[in-house]
Amino acid sequence: MERDQPTTATRPRRLVFALMLAVGGMQLLSACPGINGPADDDDSADDHGGPDDDDSAGDDDDSAGDDDDSAGDDDDSAGDDDDSIPFSDAQLRGAELWLEYCGMCHGDQGQGYAADQANALSNASFLAAASDEFLHSSIRHGRPGTPMSAWAFDYGGPLSDADITDIIAWLRRFGAFQLSGLDDIVVSGDAQTAEPQYQQLCANCHGPDGQGGSVSSVANPWFLEAASDGFLLHAINKGRPGTTMPAWEAVLSEQERYNLVALLRSWATPVEDSKVPPFQPDLSDHLIGAGGPAADFSDQLRDGRFVSMSEVHDALLAGQEFIILDARPGSDYLTEHISGAISAPFYRMEEAIAVLPHDRWIVTYCGCPHTLSGDAVDSLLAAGFSQAAVLDEGYYGWLSAGYPISSGSERY
Ligand code: HEC
Ligand code: HEC
């Protein structure tokens, strides 16, 4: 996929690109490294014994709401933007923000899976069920523990409430129809009864505890906080046509589906809504192992670009001098980061470029695990740096290896 650098200078170009795509109704097929999103893998639904993605499941209308056909449940996940309707100012701003902050993972048209696990947000079936509150909350708080960051200012992210509202206005172009009353539905089911069925039918994709894998988590505390029973039931009943998420309403009885909702609900844990003061990282203090021998990763790169975390960890232990750059939004850095790393979010790379030395290695990382860090390396290379590499396993690889991490605004 061709991507511009996320710099202010290229914003207008990105906007034109968005409009071109929207007007052309063209579907952008992503070709980023590290994609293995389920949208590429149409057959796996069948492998898991799920039904096809169409709606022939029938509308045995249940309490999931007055789900009539105009919900557009069969639509493809992207490209439904009606080009005959002019963009409002809010939608134009939303499109621009989308390309700058979201498209690199969720796809330029919201089609999903430009980065692992980043689901299809322009999916009409998703948009029919997702209230503005659900979208707002998901974008504000993110999904801690996944590559989805908290984007709101209040949590250390780059976006204001108005920005988030505009992004939602743009997304709604892909599915203006919204189910009413969905969030009032309260399902009663038995979680324990559903457990074996979940392991048999769902765990392959969503993980044995719902923690996600190649597809999104269904157990994330912030997801369960934002998602009503009706939202969960709708996802299970109708699936997400155009993705590998099957529709289960013709396969499972109503009570079985209610039990599954109860099981997901039973995984909810309390969320802590901790806002932070504005975060201005100090980029002048950036060296790890200051005074030690300069680290040299040039012989250890995979594809001339990726350095493994064990090499980086060895350099840390050896007291070598280099820089680790956290390319994720500031909110992620504040939550947890690699010890010694500086926060240089991909949308503020110019500031880092102005102060970082050219004669020391710079290792960048993100959570997804190559998308934002790859952008950061591209920006560095374009600015004339030659010693820059992407941490191959990404932040979550580092975390699960038990290597040192820190939290808060300090490097260590
Ligand atoms: C073949 C893989 C696959 C299987 C099997 C599967 N899912 Fe999914 N599921 C997905 C994908 C992919 C998505 C996200 C689709 C999108 O919107 O991009 C999803 C989304 C969901 C969502 C909505 C999550 C959100 O964040 O919006 C729920 C709830 C869900 N699945 C529950 C289940 C349950 C319960 C089962 C078993 C009965 C199941 N899934 C089986 C692939 C699968
Ligand atoms: C680094 C990659 C990445 C970026 C950038 C990103 N997201 Fe996400 N997003 C994800 C992933 C991964 C998930 C699924 C997390 C999970 O497993 O629960 C997600 C989930 C979401 C969800 C919840 C969807 C659902 O069905 O539950 C919304 C809404 C969303 N993102 C909106 C946005 C918006 C708006 C932006 C830009 C401001 C954005 N994302 C930027 C990776 C990303």
Side-chain angles (χ1 to χ4, degrees), residues 45 53 73 143 174 228 232 255 298:
D53 279 337
D73 283 333
R143 298 278 161 79
F174 294 96
S228 63
L232 297 174
Q255 194 55 51
S298 33

Side-chain angles (χ1 to χ4, degrees), residues 34-252:
I35 297 178
N36 63 41
D40 295 331
D41 184 10
D42 278 334
D43 287 329
S44 59
D46 298 326
D47 296 341
H48 296 297
D52 288 344
D53 279 337
D54 69 3
D55 240 350
S56 55
D59 283 324
D60 73 317
D61 203 19
D62 48 58
S63 47
D66 27 30
D67 201 47
D68 67 313
D69 284 346
S70 55
D73 283 333
D74 314 328
D75 284 345
D76 286 334
S77 54
D80 300 331
D81 187 8
D82 185 347
D83 51 20
S84 61
I85 304 170
F87 278 75
S88 67
D89 286 349
Q91 288 171 339
L92 275 175
R93 276 197 74 239
E96 187 179 0
L97 292 164
W98 176 268
L99 284 185
E100 172 134 21
Y101 295 108
C102 324
M104 70 290 260
C105 290
H106 290 285
D108 285 297
Q109 294 289 285
Q111 72 276 28
Y113 307 105
D116 293 354
Q117 273 175 275
N119 41 359
L121 300 181
S122 54
N123 185 288
S125 183
F126 166 70
L127 287 171
S131 65
D132 284 359
E133 292 74 44
F134 173 86
L135 293 170
H136 247 283
S137 167
S138 302
I139 300 168
R140 282 177 69 72
H141 304 289
R143 298 278 161 79
T146 81
M148 176 65 184
S149 313
W151 291 94
F153 278 143
D154 289 348
Y155 304 91
L159 302 181
S160 68
D161 269 358
D163 292 337
I164 295 174
T165 303
D166 289 350
I167 291 176
I168 294 171
W170 177 74
L171 272 177
R172 290 275 178 226
R173 289 184 67 89
F174 294 96
F177 179 84
Q178 274 180 271
L179 291 163
S180 60
L182 204 60
D183 291 338
D184 301 329
I185 293 169
V186 177
V187 163
S188 88
D190 181 54
Q192 264 185 338
T193 312
E195 175 72 31
Q197 199 155 48
Y198 176 88
Q199 296 306 335
Q200 193 199 342
L201 300 176
C202 324
N204 244 329
C205 291
H206 291 290
D209 308 313
Q211 76 279 17
S214 60
V215 311
S216 60
S217 156
V218 286
N220 189 278
W222 277 109
F223 168 63
L224 291 170
E225 175 75 10
S228 63
D229 284 3
F231 177 95
L232 297 174
L233 186 61
H234 182 266
I236 294 170
N237 283 350
K238 303 289 180 185
R240 296 273 165 80
T243 78
T244 53
M245 172 65 187
W248 297 97
E249 74 186 337
V251 181
L252 302 175

